[in-house]
């Protein structure tokens, strides 16, 4: 029998989870919430086999939904449904070593720094050598790896999307599958996105966004920040020492191979 979750969060982080996410302070009540989610999934979503029955996996969904059981259940069901339906992407997710080469060419990267609000930074650079399916698989794998970190679950994620390399062809491809991709971000992944910062937008972005924005929830739209080439605006929410040089920061250069090993080889 698998061991039960034991909370090892620092006291200040646990206090934030209790205050912001309605997380039970009492360990027994937390485990009860996990058990209730598992039981409700097996009762209501019996056409899917629960991919991971561990406390740690289910706790991600509860935290992302502020311990609302029905909302957590809906997200967990959507997670299983999209994995079942979007096989072009999730065959790659489930056989991730097959995309190692393309992943290493420019995947979404957990930068390691944190924004001023404590959220963790994920940098995305679409257009650097990835096919669309491989790019989306890389996004999914990177988010899942990030939220293995409990503090990322609690403080959330600040996304930076650098569009310097986005060409017309991939931009239009992304627009064509925008609804499904946004559903993955909005309804499927158990993540708390704090903001999405778009930088270095090329002209193709306007056409792409005009299509994709039709499928965006108002919740996501409120989190969008458009900086174009004004990186000083980006620094208002993220200190320069938490950003790489190509984003006007003073932090270290990106080590793509290290992130590739962490996501693909483990």
């Amino acid at each position: 029998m698998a061991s039960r979750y034991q909370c090892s969060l620092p006291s200040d982080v646990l206090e934030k989870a209790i205050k912001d996410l309605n997380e039970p302070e009492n360990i027994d009540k937390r485990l009860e919430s996990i058990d209730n989610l598992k039981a409700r999934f097996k009762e209501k979503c019996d056409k899917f086999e629960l991919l991971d029955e561990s406390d740690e996996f289910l706790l991600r969904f509860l935290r992302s939904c502020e311990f609302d059981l029905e909302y957590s259940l809906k997200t967990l069901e959507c997670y299983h449904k999209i994995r079942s339906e979007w096989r072009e992407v999730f065959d790659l997710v489930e056989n991730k070593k097959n995309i190692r080469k393309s992943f290493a060419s420019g995947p979404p990267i957990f930068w390691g720094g944190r924004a001023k609000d404590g959220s963790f930074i994920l940098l995305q650079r679409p257009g650097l050598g990835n096919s669309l399916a491989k790019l989306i698989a890389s996004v999914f794998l990177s988010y899942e790896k990030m939220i293995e970190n409990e503090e990322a679950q609690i403080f959330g994620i600040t996304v930076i999307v650098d569009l310097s390399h986005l060409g017309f062809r991939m931009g239009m491809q992304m627009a064509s599958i925008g609804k499904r991709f946004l559903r993955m971000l909005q309804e499927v992944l158990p993540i708390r996105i704090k903001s999405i910062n778009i930088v270095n937008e090329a002209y193709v972005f306007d056409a792409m966004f005009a299509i994709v924005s039709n499928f965006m929830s108002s919740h996501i739209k409120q989190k969008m920040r458009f900086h174009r080439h004004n990186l000083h605006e980006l620094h208002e929410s993220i200190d320069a020492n938490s950003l790489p040089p190509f984003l006007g920061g003073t932090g270290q250069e990106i080590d793509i191979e290290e992130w590739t090993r962490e996501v693909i080889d483990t």
Side-chain angles (χ1 to χ4, degrees):
M1 183 176 178
S3 58
R4 301 307 306 263
Y5 171 78
Q6 295 290 326
C7 184
S8 58
L9 293 170
S11 58
D12 59 326
V13 178
L14 178 58
E15 182 179 349
K16 181 175 178 63
I18 294 167
K19 179 182 177 182
D20 294 354
L21 308 183
N22 301 314
E23 182 155 345
E25 183 174 8
N26 181 277
I27 183 63
D28 291 332
K29 290 185 177 180
R30 189 188 289 109
L31 294 177
E32 182 182 355
S33 295
I34 293 170
D35 291 340
N36 287 341
L37 177 57
K38 183 188 298 185
R40 288 281 288 129
F41 180 85
K42 291 184 175 182
E43 173 191 345
K44 183 176 183 294
C45 311
D46 56 356
K47 67 178 180 179
F48 298 117
E49 181 178 355
L50 187 59
L51 289 171
D52 186 342
E53 296 199 10
S54 69
D55 291 347
E56 289 77 9
F57 176 74
L58 294 167
L59 186 56
R60 299 175 197 172
F61 290 87
L62 288 164
R63 283 176 171 156
S64 71
C65 299
E66 298 181 4
F67 278 78
D68 181 311
L69 178 59
E70 292 306 313
Y71 185 21
S72 301
L73 176 63
K74 180 181 178 181
T75 305
L76 186 59
E77 181 180 16
C78 287
Y79 177 94
H80 283 75
K81 186 175 181 180
I82 201 170
R83 289 191 68 135
S84 173
E85 293 176 348
W86 204 357
R87 295 314 306 169
E88 179 185 6
V89 168
F90 287 96
D91 281 343
L92 297 172
V93 168
E94 292 163 14
N95 299 279
K96 60 185 181 179
K97 291 189 183 297
N98 292 339
I99 65 169
R100 192 188 195 285
K101 184 176 180 180
S102 63
F103 192 95
S105 71
I109 293 175
F110 167 39
W111 174 240
R114 296 173 74 164
K116 292 179 181 179
D117 63 1
S119 57
F120 288 65
I121 298 170
L122 182 74
L123 172 62
Q124 297 180 21
R125 297 181 296 166
L128 279 180
N130 285 319
S131 73
L132 191 57
K134 289 177 180 178
L135 172 65
I136 295 168
S138 297
V139 169
F140 186 90
L141 286 165
S142 293
Y143 274 118
E144 287 233 304
K145 175 56 68 172
M146 281 189 74
I147 57 175
E148 289 178 6
N149 184 318
E150 288 192 81
E151 292 199 24
Q153 298 169 23
I154 293 165
F155 283 91
I157 297 171
T158 287
V159 182
I160 303 174
V161 185
D162 175 23
L163 296 179
S164 300
H165 306 279
L166 182 67
F168 182 81
R169 181 178 178 182
M170 178 166 279
M172 291 300 96
Q173 286 179 329
M174 290 179 70
S176 70
I177 55 89
K179 184 175 183 179
R180 183 175 277 185
F181 180 71
L182 283 169
R183 179 176 169 233
M184 186 178 80
L185 289 182
Q186 295 171 168
E187 303 176 15
V188 172
L189 281 164
I191 54 178
R192 301 179 64 242
I193 293 178
K194 306 298 287 185
S195 67
I196 301 173
N197 299 269
I198 311 296
V199 300
N200 299 322
E201 301 99 304
Y203 73 94
V204 68
F205 173 77
D206 293 333
M208 181 187 78
F209 188 74
I211 299 171
V212 171
S213 61
N214 292 319
F215 311 119
M216 280 186 184
S217 67
S218 57
H219 181 67
I220 287 291
K221 285 181 179 178
Q222 291 171 3
K223 297 179 184 296
M224 301 287 293
R225 308 285 185 269
F226 302 97
H227 303 286
R228 293 208 178 264
H229 302 288
N230 185 357
L231 298 179
H232 294 295
E233 290 183 353
L234 187 64
H235 297 170
E236 291 177 6
S237 57
I238 305 173
D239 285 326
N241 60 12
S242 293
L243 291 170
F246 78 90
L247 289 176
T250 58
Q252 60 186 356
E253 296 286 353
I254 288 174
D255 187 341
I256 293 176
E257 182 58 31
E258 180 182 357
W259 182 239
T260 302
R261 286 194 299 269
E262 189 170 349
V263 176
I264 300 297
D265 298 336
T266 57

